[in-house]
Amino acid sequence: MKTGAGGATSLTVAGQASAGSAASGNTHPANIMVLVSSGGWPVTDLTKDHFTLMEYFEVPGQQSPFSNNITSFRNVGTGAYLLQVKPINGTPWRSGHHLAQILVSSADDRQGQGGVKLIIR
């Protein structure tokens, strides 16, 4: 098991995306569920500020990424976090496979990352 600064166990991060009401041409939010654990135990004390979201590999026609535009955040209390995202600047979604990196850093300097694919139709 890898450790971070000060010997803290690193975070394990897994993500799953769903378009929800987001569709090509609209500005509705899409959904991302992020599961965070450390040493097999759920991490339940994170806030929106502990998450960084970076969209990569631009979709043709997409004017703005959804990087760090978390419009809604919910801590379920079980190590699961629900994030809703939209493209920045109020631009509409474009159909395609949007790829993102999720970076998580806890208050005690544990870190982890994962990837997610959001399909917009």
Side-chain angles (χ1 to χ4, degrees):
M1 193 176 328
K2 294 186 178 184
T3 59
T9 304
S10 61
L11 300 176
T12 301
V13 178
Q16 181 69 43
S18 169
S21 297
S24 184
N26 77 24
T27 59
H28 298 286
N31 305 307
I32 299 175
M33 178 181 68
V34 182
L35 303 175
V36 184
S37 61
S38 181
W41 294 93
V43 176
T44 61
D45 61 347
L46 302 175
T47 66
K48 179 180 172 181
D49 293 335
H50 292 112
F51 291 80
T52 301
L53 190 61
M54 299 303 296
E55 181 182 6
Y56 295 107
F57 310 110
E58 294 179 12
V59 170
Q62 185 73 36
Q63 297 173 349
S64 299
F66 60 84
S67 296
N68 284 329
N69 195 28
I70 300 170
T71 59
S72 177
F73 176 87
R74 190 171 82 179
N75 178 347
V76 179
T78 62
Y81 299 85
L82 305 177
L83 289 63
Q84 287 193 316
V85 298
K86 296 197 262 186
I88 59 175
N89 301 323
T91 60
W93 290 103
R94 291 293 175 242
S95 61
H97 293 209
H98 299 258
L99 301 176
Q101 178 184 25
I102 304 164
L103 302 160
V104 182
S105 181
S106 67
D108 61 358
D109 291 327
R110 292 177 293 164
Q111 298 179 13
Q113 63 179 327
V116 66
K117 176 170 63 174
L118 171 61
I119 300 173
I120 299 292
R121 297 193 165 110

